[in-house]
């Protein structure tokens, strides 16, 4: 249960506030009465942050998280108490094509944010977004938080590095920093059509066969964006209550119910108006891990967090978001 009293009038910095998670997290913080400061690098007119009107109601700051002077100014000028660091380059394909820009955003950006946080005396807690991709490939599944971080490809490596840097700041400087490692996130507002959920939904809304880039067999854990929002807020509150227990700790957040790419696509097709569509399996994906899914047991036991949304209900909500979005664009 989220404590609305904790967030009331709290000055919260959300980096990457216009992404899928950043948008919904900002909206939830606004609902809880927080005083939100959002960092946005590029204007994103189709993001949920802008479409909802929240971009006009929060303190929106335009800038790059790799800019040290910019981050120092944001922390001091806005007197940040809680920082939730989400800003990153999140597309695996882009990372493969352009690794340096991904490393700049995901690795340098993380240490610049954390260093600015370290120098600002008013800061109380930081939550840093890592990913299940930080684990790399392991034979033993599901991943627990004790599994080695061993990304092998640019995106995975960038998240492994950011994860280690965040926990280094906690362990070396005594900062109240914790890390999230989330499963594959989906929900309204994800406009990367190469991802399986938005791409499949757009195809079936158009009456077209969805395309699967892999052979359909890779298994992933999928989690609804609103369950991820509750995970971040729950973790930030837990750090405030008991920083010695949670600082320097990473937590997995997932559904604990892995599905193959083909199963996920078929679940989406079944809730559409075109239930007879058969996916096109391209089998062209490269540099992707075959099976990758989490155990969220630690989050259940230490934080009291569990996902609240079923796959069917969350996919229906997501489907309707895209139906409305595509009808307006």
């Amino acid at each position: 249960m989220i404590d609305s009293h904790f967030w009331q009038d709290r000055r919260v910095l959300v980096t990457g506030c216009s992404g899928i998670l950043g948008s919904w997290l900002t909206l939830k913080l606004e609902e809880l009465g927080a005083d939100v400061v959002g960092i946005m690098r590029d204007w994103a007119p189709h993001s949920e942050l802008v479409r909802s009107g929240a971009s006009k109601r929060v303190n929106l700051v335009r800038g790059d998280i790799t800019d040290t002077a910019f981050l120092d100014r944001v922390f001091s000028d806005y007197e940040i108490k809680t920082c939730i660091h989400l800003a990153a380059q999140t597309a695996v394909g882009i990372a493969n094509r352009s690794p340096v820009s991904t490393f700049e955003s995901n690795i340098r950006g993380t240490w610049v944010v954390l260093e600015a946080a370290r120098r600002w005396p008013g800061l109380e807690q930081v939550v840093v977004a890592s990913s299940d991709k930080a684990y790399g490939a392991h034979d033993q599944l599901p991943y627990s938080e004790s599994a080695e971080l061993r990304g092998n490809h640019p995106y995975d490596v960038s998240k492994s590095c950011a994860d280690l840097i965040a926990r280094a700041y906690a362990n070396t400087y005594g900062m109240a920093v914790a890390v999230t490692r989330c499963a594959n996130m989906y929900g309204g507002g994800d406009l990367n059509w190469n991802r399986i959920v938005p791409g499949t939904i757009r195809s079936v809304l158009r009456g077209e066969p969805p395309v699967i880039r892999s052979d359909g067999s890779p298994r992933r854990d999928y989690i609804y964006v609103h369950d991820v929002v509750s995970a971040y807020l729950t973790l930030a509150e837990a750090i405030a209550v008991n920083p010695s227990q949670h600082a320097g700790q990473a937590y997995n957040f997932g559904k604990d119910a892995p599905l193959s790419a083909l199963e996920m696509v078929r679940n989406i097709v079944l809730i559409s108006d075109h239930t007879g569509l058969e996916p096109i399996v391209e089998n062209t994906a490269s540099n992707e891990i075959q099976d990758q899914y989490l155990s969220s047991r630690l989050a259940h036991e230490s934080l009291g967090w569990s996902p609240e949304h079923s796959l069917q209900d969350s996919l229906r909500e997501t489907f309707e978001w895209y139906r409305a979005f595509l009808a307006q664009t």
Side-chain angles (χ1 to χ4, degrees):
M1 181 68 70
I2 303 302
D3 180 5
S4 59
H5 178 73
F6 174 82
W7 297 103
Q8 184 68 45
D9 299 324
R10 173 169 289 267
R11 189 63 66 85
V12 183
L13 174 64
V14 180
T15 72
C17 65
S18 61
I20 171 179
L21 176 56
S23 293
W24 292 112
L25 180 63
T26 298
L27 286 165
K28 184 63 177 180
L29 286 166
E30 185 186 30
E31 177 188 318
L32 293 168
D35 189 357
V36 183
V37 179
I39 291 179
M40 177 191 288
R41 186 187 66 179
D42 301 324
W43 183 246
H46 296 303
S47 70
E48 186 62 20
L49 183 80
V50 175
R51 292 179 72 249
S52 66
S55 60
K56 298 177 181 178
R57 300 191 297 269
V58 302
N59 302 291
L60 191 62
V61 189
R62 301 287 299 277
D64 194 318
I65 58 164
T66 64
D67 184 336
T68 298
F70 169 69
L71 262 296
D72 284 341
R73 182 184 71 79
V74 170
F75 273 93
S76 61
D77 284 6
Y78 290 95
E79 299 180 303
I80 302 301
K81 284 190 174 181
T82 299
C83 173
I84 300 178
H85 176 45
L86 307 177
Q89 195 297 104
T90 61
V92 172
I94 291 173
N96 288 337
R97 292 193 304 271
S98 181
V100 173
S101 63
T102 298
F103 295 155
E104 279 286 317
S105 296
N106 297 6
I107 303 174
R108 176 180 170 81
T110 297
W111 84 57
V112 169
V113 169
L114 287 167
E115 185 62 12
R118 183 175 75 89
R119 290 195 293 262
W120 169 241
L123 192 73
E124 296 180 0
Q125 59 276 133
V126 184
V127 179
V128 174
S130 180
S131 167
D132 59 353
K133 307 301 181 289
Y135 288 114
H138 288 260
D139 293 331
Q140 184 175 346
L141 294 168
Y143 303 134
S144 70
E145 287 82 355
S146 61
E148 180 184 0
L149 301 185
R150 56 187 193 201
N152 284 324
H153 302 295
Y155 179 74
D156 308 347
V157 167
S158 77
K159 301 310 284 186
S160 297
C161 291
D163 195 308
L164 289 165
I165 289 167
R167 288 181 292 128
Y169 268 80
N171 294 324
T172 304
Y173 303 111
M175 291 175 62
V177 180
V179 171
T180 66
R181 298 172 185 160
C182 293
N184 284 27
M185 182 173 54
Y186 66 91
D190 184 358
L191 302 182
N192 182 346
W193 305 108
N194 290 321
R195 292 199 181 103
I196 192 166
V197 173
T200 299
I201 291 176
R202 184 173 69 170
S203 293
V204 298
L205 280 169
R206 292 173 173 175
E208 302 169 353
V211 175
I212 299 176
R213 293 183 300 111
S214 69
D215 65 1
S217 67
R219 300 173 72 206
R220 299 287 186 268
D221 197 14
Y222 295 90
I223 184 168
Y224 191 33
V225 63
H226 294 291
D227 286 323
V228 179
V229 167
S230 73
Y232 274 80
L233 299 178
T234 298
L235 179 54
E237 291 178 20
I239 300 170
V241 172
N242 194 342
S244 63
Q245 177 183 350
H246 302 291
Q249 179 64 54
Y251 289 95
N252 291 339
F253 296 102
K255 191 74 172 174
D256 297 341
L259 296 168
S260 71
L262 188 56
E263 288 172 327
M264 191 62 169
V265 167
R266 284 178 171 162
N267 271 289
I268 295 169
V269 171
L270 285 173
I271 62 172
S272 76
D273 300 326
H274 303 281
T275 56
L277 286 172
E278 283 295 321
I280 298 170
V281 179
E282 291 186 334
N283 197 17
T284 57
S286 61
N287 295 340
E288 292 199 13
I289 295 165
Q290 173 63 31
D291 295 329
Q292 192 170 48
Y293 48 91
L294 301 167
S295 167
S296 304
R297 180 177 178 180
L298 184 62
H300 301 329
E301 294 178 349
S302 296
L303 303 174
W305 173 89
S306 291
E308 298 177 357
H309 300 82
S310 71
L311 177 68
Q312 291 73 23
D313 289 346
S314 56
L315 282 179
R316 287 190 184 95
E317 289 181 10
T318 302
F319 196 94
E320 292 308 316
W321 188 95
Y322 284 103
R323 190 197 298 275
F325 173 80
L326 291 170
Q328 296 169 359
T329 56

